[in-house]
């Protein structure tokens, strides 16, 4: 699940206005006079400039507050078009982006909560546009094909789950639950490209916004494992889940997917696995976390594999390290297999969870450099 960050995220993603290229380092060495400097504190979000030409833009973030903060750039419909999370007090981060002409908002979120402290920015025409790279165009096309395949395969799997719920068959619904989610979990690197689908199908109870109705897989998960019964409302939610997933299936063809959104999405997803999913928060009732985990890694590796030919030309040492770390994560996961699936996550002890966490963290660090290598 990619965390819902704004209740106003209701529009289907249109043509992307900003594509993040990098945003990973704890310290930024960029001193270019053309950079947009963002100074975040506990009560301010100050920008060195609020108007600049379209094209390649470097955004340097410095957190001078006492709380961990996040920085977002929002499109007019409040859709997240780039983000940088977990910027600790006294640390810096750097984002390199390609921004098209238009109006946006930059938001700093001290404490990583709420709508944030926002500043309007205007990006004017006239910036230099980088020529399209045929290899990267091919990578995007192949990844879109992969995402579409995952969506297409999810529909019949999810229908089996929904039918079991509607039939009141508790055991069968439990059996089909994790299987129905695999395709979605594999496509989470670009989940935000699908607009409001994520908060409809994959939000946890503690991730709900004010006045948001809880729908989707995790509401049904709670009913199956915690409540141990299927209500009439659950049967209606099963139908709603199918409606939302079919909507997702249709959106794949028009969703904005770019080389850097593939790279940064994979990195952000692995960060989420490291920070949240390893703890067992995602599947807190079913304990099917390892199945999600593998699907997340599969999706991130698919994005990387398609971008690797270009990235290896620009930074061969990086791709060598990424190959090594992806193998290490998959090996770590393999220790918990049981037949065609995985052990229940509540049987995985604290020390073993830390080993998994360390493996993911070791992958996340070089993965944070992939977008920059692709965009050179």
């Amino acid at each position: 699940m990619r965390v819902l960050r704004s209740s106003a995220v209701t529009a289907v993603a249109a043509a992307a206005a900003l594509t993040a290229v990098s945003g990973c380092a704890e310290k930024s060495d960029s001193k270019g006079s053309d950079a947009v400097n963002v100074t975040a504190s506990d009560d301010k979000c100050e920008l060195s400039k609020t108007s600049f030409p379209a094209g390649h833009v470097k955004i340097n973030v410095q957190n001078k507050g006492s709380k961990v903060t996040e920085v977002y750039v929002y499109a007019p419909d409040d859709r997240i078009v780039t983000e940088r999370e977990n910027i600790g007090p006294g640390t810096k981060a750097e984002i390199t982006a390609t921004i098209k002409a238009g109006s946006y908002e930059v938001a700093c979120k001290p404490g990583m909560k709420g709508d944030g402290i926002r500043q309007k920015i205007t990006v004017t025409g006239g910036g230099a546009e980088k020529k399209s790279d045929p290899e990267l165009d091919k990578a995007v096309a192949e990844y879109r094909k992969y995402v579409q395949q995952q969506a297409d395969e999810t529909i019949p799997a999810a229908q089996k789950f929904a039918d079991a719920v509607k039939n009141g068959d508790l055991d069968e619904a439990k059996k089909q639950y994790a299987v129905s989610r695999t395709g979605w979990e594999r496509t989470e690197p670009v989940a935000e490209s699908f607009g409001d689908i994520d908060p409809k199908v994959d939000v946890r109870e503690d991730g709900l916004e004010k006045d948001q109705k809880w729908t989707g897989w995790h509401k049904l998960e709670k009913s199956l494992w915690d409540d141990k019964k299927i209500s009439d409302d659950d049967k209606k939610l099963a139908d709603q889940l199918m409606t939302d997933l079919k909507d997702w299936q249709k959106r794949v063809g028009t969703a904005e997917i770019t080389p850097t959104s593939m790279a940064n999405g994979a990195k952000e997803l692995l960060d989420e696995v490291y920070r949240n999913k390893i703890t067992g928060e995602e599947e807190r009732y079913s304990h099917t976390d390892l199945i999600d985990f593998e699907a997340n890694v599969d999706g991130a590796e698919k994005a990387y594999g398609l971008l690797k030919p270009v990235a290896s030309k620009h930074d061969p040492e990086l791709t060598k390290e990424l190959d090594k770390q992806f193998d290490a994560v998959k090996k770590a996961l393999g220790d918990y297999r049981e037949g065609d699936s995985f052990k229940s996550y509540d049987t995985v002890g604290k020390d073993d969870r830390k080993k998994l966490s360390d493996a993911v963290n070791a992958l996340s660090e070089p993965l944070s450099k992939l977008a920059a290598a692709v965009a050179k």
Side-chain angles (χ1 to χ4, degrees):
M1 180 204 69
R2 306 300 296 278
V3 178
L4 176 64
R5 300 175 179 91
S6 171
S7 59
V9 182
T10 56
V12 178
L18 185 151
T19 300
V21 174
S22 70
C24 53
E26 282 297 307
K27 294 184 179 181
S28 170
D29 296 323
S30 176
K31 299 179 181 178
S33 59
D34 292 334
V36 179
N37 299 314
V38 178
T39 304
S41 65
D42 293 345
D43 57 6
K44 292 182 181 179
C45 186
E46 300 176 315
L47 276 63
S48 61
K49 60 182 76 175
T50 57
S51 180
F52 44 87
H56 296 308
V57 179
K58 190 166 289 183
I59 303 172
N60 298 327
V61 182
Q62 183 173 13
N63 183 7
K64 291 189 174 182
S66 63
K67 303 174 183 177
V68 177
T69 196
E70 302 171 327
V71 173
Y72 296 83
V73 177
Y74 287 104
D77 60 7
D78 226 17
R79 174 174 43 87
I80 299 168
V81 289
T82 196
E83 62 187 289
R84 175 69 164 98
E85 301 179 346
N86 288 281
I87 306 170
T91 64
K92 300 177 181 179
E94 181 180 298
I95 305 168
T96 304
T98 301
I99 306 180
K100 295 180 180 179
S103 298
Y104 307 88
E105 285 187 334
V106 174
C108 303
K109 295 190 180 182
M112 302 193 295
K113 295 180 179 179
D115 291 335
I117 305 163
R118 300 197 178 199
Q119 296 285 351
K120 295 182 182 298
I121 61 173
T122 301
V123 181
T124 60
E129 294 287 341
K130 189 174 181 179
K131 289 185 178 180
S132 177
D133 183 326
E135 280 190 283
L136 292 178
D137 290 344
K138 180 181 178 181
V140 169
E142 288 299 315
Y143 191 68
R144 188 186 301 279
K145 198 179 297 183
Y146 170 77
V147 174
Q148 187 68 66
Q149 179 185 14
Q150 296 306 313
D152 292 346
E153 292 177 358
T154 294
I155 299 304
Q159 190 65 62
K160 288 182 180 179
F161 170 64
D163 288 345
V165 171
K166 289 163 65 178
N167 291 333
D169 191 336
L170 195 69
D171 290 338
E172 182 65 15
K174 285 182 176 181
K175 179 182 176 182
Q176 298 299 331
Y177 171 76
V179 178
S180 74
R181 290 174 48 74
T182 301
W184 171 262
E185 292 292 320
R186 284 175 178 157
T187 66
E188 277 207 291
V190 289
E192 287 172 359
S193 300
F194 309 125
D196 60 351
I197 298 298
D198 189 20
K200 287 181 178 180
V201 304
D202 201 28
V203 70
R204 301 188 300 260
E205 187 172 15
D206 52 1
L208 294 170
E209 293 287 318
K210 185 179 179 181
D211 298 325
Q212 180 188 353
K213 182 182 178 182
W214 192 15
T215 60
W217 273 299
H218 294 302
K219 173 63 177 73
L220 294 169
E221 177 203 8
K222 184 177 186 298
S223 295
L224 297 175
W225 275 273
D226 194 44
D227 300 337
K228 297 181 174 60
K229 62 181 180 180
I230 297 171
S231 68
D232 288 341
D233 283 343
D234 291 330
K235 294 176 182 180
K236 293 176 183 177
L237 285 177
D239 280 334
Q240 184 61 52
L241 175 64
M242 291 309 304
T243 297
D244 293 333
L245 289 175
K246 288 174 182 177
D247 187 11
W248 164 53
Q249 181 188 30
K250 292 176 183 176
R251 293 188 190 191
V252 173
T254 57
E256 182 66 25
I257 300 174
T258 67
T260 48
S261 73
M262 290 163 57
N264 285 320
K267 190 267 183 194
E268 287 293 332
L269 178 58
L270 268 293
D271 279 354
E272 186 191 341
V273 170
Y274 170 70
R275 292 192 305 268
N276 300 321
K277 295 192 175 187
I278 291 291
T279 65
E281 292 178 34
E282 179 84 354
E283 306 289 359
R284 63 190 66 174
Y285 306 111
S286 66
H287 306 301
T288 55
D289 305 80
L290 291 171
I291 299 173
D292 286 1
F293 188 1
E294 182 183 51
N296 290 160
V297 173
D298 285 347
E301 187 175 34
K302 182 66 175 182
Y304 162 60
L306 291 170
L307 297 171
K308 181 180 174 180
V310 173
S312 61
K313 293 178 183 178
H314 300 154
D315 195 340
E317 289 303 311
L318 175 64
T319 54
K320 182 179 179 181
E321 181 66 15
L322 281 168
D323 287 343
K324 174 184 173 182
Q325 296 303 337
F326 266 112
D327 286 344
V329 168
K330 289 187 290 184
K331 184 177 184 299
L333 265 174
D335 292 339
Y336 305 99
R337 285 196 179 278
E338 268 190 355
D340 294 333
S341 191
F342 289 93
K343 294 181 180 179
S344 179
Y345 200 55
D346 58 344
T347 67
V348 179
K350 185 177 179 181
D351 290 344
D352 286 334
R353 291 189 184 196
K354 186 178 186 305
K355 289 178 183 178
L356 285 170
S357 178
D358 289 344
V360 174
N361 193 37
L363 170 59
S364 183
E365 194 282 324
L367 195 60
S368 70
K369 302 174 183 177
L370 178 60
V374 166
K376 285 181 180 178

